[in-house]
Amino acid sequence: TQADLAETLDKAVETISNIERGHTLTSIDTLYEIGKLTGVPLTYFVEGIGTERKISKTRIRTEEEASSLLQGMTDEDLNLALQMIQAIAERSST
């Protein structure tokens, strides 16, 4: 939760909420710590800077969950997951 994250980072809950909503800029160090705690790579937070990024909260949560699952996989299983995603992407683009 925002409260748990705020406590761990020694930040106010309001600060975490403002960061999440894009109302407050934060340091790269804080983003790095948030990424470590949530299993999200730092690059995720800076992708698309300077471009409008329209993404739903549901999609963000789904991508975070997928990323977390992928991190725990063996190389062999990760490769299989990638092949499945590629097959789905090919089907979706036709």
Side-chain angles (χ1 to χ4, degrees):
T1 66
Q2 287 182 351
D4 293 334
L5 187 58
E7 183 178 335
T8 302
L9 295 173
D10 196 29
K11 304 277 184 191
V13 175
E14 183 178 354
T15 300
I16 299 301
S17 176
N18 286 333
I19 292 168
E20 181 179 353
R21 292 180 290 139
H23 292 213
T24 298
L25 294 177
T26 191
S27 72
I28 198 80
D29 293 331
T30 299
L31 286 179
Y32 175 75
E33 289 302 317
I34 291 171
K36 265 189 359 186
L37 293 167
T38 60
V40 177
L42 181 60
T43 55
Y44 178 82
F45 297 111
V46 295
E47 284 178 328
I49 287 182
T51 61
E52 186 65 27
R53 221 178 140 206
K54 295 185 178 176
I55 184 168
S56 70
K57 287 184 179 183
T58 301
R59 183 176 180 98
I60 290 171
R61 283 190 209 104
T62 302
E63 287 180 6
E64 288 172 352
E65 184 177 349
S67 177
S68 178
L69 291 170
L70 292 172
Q71 289 176 12
M73 289 184 177
T74 64
D75 289 349
E76 183 179 335
D77 287 345
L78 181 61
N79 187 45
L80 177 59
L82 176 60
Q83 289 174 18
M84 293 172 72
I85 291 169
Q86 288 171 330
I88 293 168
E90 286 176 22
R91 185 188 72 185
S92 297
S93 66
T94 58

